[in-house]
């Protein structure tokens, strides 16, 4: 069983989107996957997967409090579930000591970050001590990269220059993130809806007074961002397999 933690030193960097996407793609590859939501306050990933009960996610999702209680009773609880992967969506905003502990408990720790200057500089300052603690099993993922400029590649190059491990794939910006979470589907299946109007330009409503909406297709850049995450998982699995092969 491999344990992948998805952590973030600040909010709004795509931590939950990354955890949910990695878990779903691993499940699509026929792996047995458990997604653990450890953000007690928001429970964002847990709510995301439960918002649409008809969607075939193909994986388990549980809250950390429940898992922790069972581990207290039986420390081998997760190992006995026959899982291939456990993906943890952490609470976020971890400090350096928490990151060190989390990394040592993980097979790999994924750290999403946006490509803006402040995020990259803050990440460099935070993660350099990880290397000083001889922690090597973490990797930075550039998320929410605008398609019209080189911000993502520039941030990636800056992190590589700082000798920090970075995923080769960069996640392109997409409006699908918020829509997918609201609709309870992966970002690849997020839809854009438009409100219909009648011949007089008035919004149409149904018999109960609700606005009538119609899907106008997939959210912009949803498929591209999903392909980016698929490449991330391919890279992640390859790295984990190489690590396992070398003991």
């Amino acid at each position: 069983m491999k344990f992948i933690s998805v952590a973030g030193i600040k909010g709004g960097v795509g931590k939950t989107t990354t955890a949910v996407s990695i878990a779903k793609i691993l499940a699509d590859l026929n792996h047995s996957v458990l997604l653990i939501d450890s953000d007690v306050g928001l429970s964002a990933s847990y709510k995301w997967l439960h918002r649409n009960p008809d969607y075939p996610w193909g994986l388990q999702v549980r809250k950390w409090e429940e898992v922790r209680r069972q581990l207290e009773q039986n420390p081998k609880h997760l190992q006995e579930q026959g899982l291939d992967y456990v993906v943890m969506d952490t609470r976020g905003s971890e400090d350096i000591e928490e990151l060190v502990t989390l990394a040592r408990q993980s097979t790999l720790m994924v750290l999403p970050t946006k490509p803006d200057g402040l995020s990259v500089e803050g990440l460099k300052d935070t993660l350099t001590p990880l290397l000083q603690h001889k922690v090597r099993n973490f990797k930075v993922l550039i998320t929410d990269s605008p398609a019209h400029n080189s911000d993502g590649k520039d941030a990636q190059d800056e992190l590589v220059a700082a000798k920090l491990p970075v995923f080769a794939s960069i996640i392109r910006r997409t409006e699908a993130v918020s829509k997918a979470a609201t609709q309870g589907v992966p970002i690849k299946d997020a839809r854009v809806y438009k409100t219909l109007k009648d011949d007089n330009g008035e919004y149409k409503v149904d018999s109960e007074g609700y606005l009538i909406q119609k899907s106008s297709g997939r959210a912009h850049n949803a498929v591209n961002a999903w392909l980016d995450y698929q490449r991330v998982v391919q890279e992640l699995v390859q790295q984990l397999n190489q690590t396992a092969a070398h003991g």
Side-chain angles (χ1 to χ4, degrees), residues 17 28 104 126 151 184 234:
T17 301
D28 287 346
R104 287 174 174 165
T126 301
D151 286 1
Q234 183 179 22

Side-chain angles (χ1 to χ4, degrees), residues 62-221:
R62 295 164 64 187
K63 293 183 179 180
W64 168 240
E65 309 96 277
E66 174 195 348
V67 175
R68 183 183 61 195
R69 286 194 298 269
Q70 292 181 319
L71 287 172
E72 288 172 352
Q73 297 173 6
N74 176 14
K76 295 184 178 181
H77 169 69
L78 290 178
Q79 288 90 329
E80 294 173 352
Q81 302 305 302
L83 297 165
D84 299 316
Y85 290 91
V86 173
V87 180
M88 175 176 276
D89 180 13
T90 73
R91 64 174 176 79
S93 301
E94 288 85 6
D95 60 30
I96 185 59
E97 294 302 325
E98 290 171 321
L99 287 176
V100 169
T101 300
L102 186 59
R104 287 174 174 165
Q105 294 172 343
S106 305
T107 313
L108 181 68
M109 180 170 65
V110 179
L111 294 157
T113 187
K114 288 187 175 183
D116 61 88
L118 288 176
S119 293
V120 172
E121 281 300 319
L123 195 66
K124 285 165 56 180
D125 292 342
T126 301
L127 297 186
T128 300
L130 280 180
L131 300 177
Q132 295 170 352
H133 281 79
K134 302 187 185 303
V135 173
R136 297 288 187 272
N137 62 324
F138 69 93
K139 207 161 193 177
V140 179
L141 175 64
I142 306 295
T143 62
D144 196 34
S145 180
H148 62 275
N149 61 38
S150 62
D151 286 1
K153 186 65 171 63
D154 292 344
Q156 189 181 59
D157 291 343
E158 187 174 344
L159 292 168
V160 169
K163 301 188 183 306
L164 293 169
V166 188
F167 281 97
S169 297
I170 295 173
I171 308 300
R172 283 167 281 188
R173 178 173 294 171
T174 174
E175 65 177 345
V177 173
S178 60
K179 297 182 184 301
T182 302
Q183 296 166 18
V185 298
I187 57 175
K188 69 182 177 71
D189 291 324
R191 314 291 292 184
V192 174
Y193 291 87
K194 62 180 180 180
T195 304
L196 301 183
K197 294 183 178 181
D198 60 24
D199 294 337
N200 297 320
E202 301 293 330
Y203 288 117
K204 291 184 177 181
V205 296
D206 60 20
S207 59
E208 296 181 353
Y210 292 102
L211 292 171
I212 299 175
Q213 295 184 319
K214 180 180 179 181
S215 172
S216 58
R218 293 183 189 272
H220 177 67
N221 228 17

Side-chain angles (χ1 to χ4, degrees), residues 239-247:
Q239 177 175 332
L240 295 181
N241 288 341
Q242 290 175 345
T243 301
H246 289 89

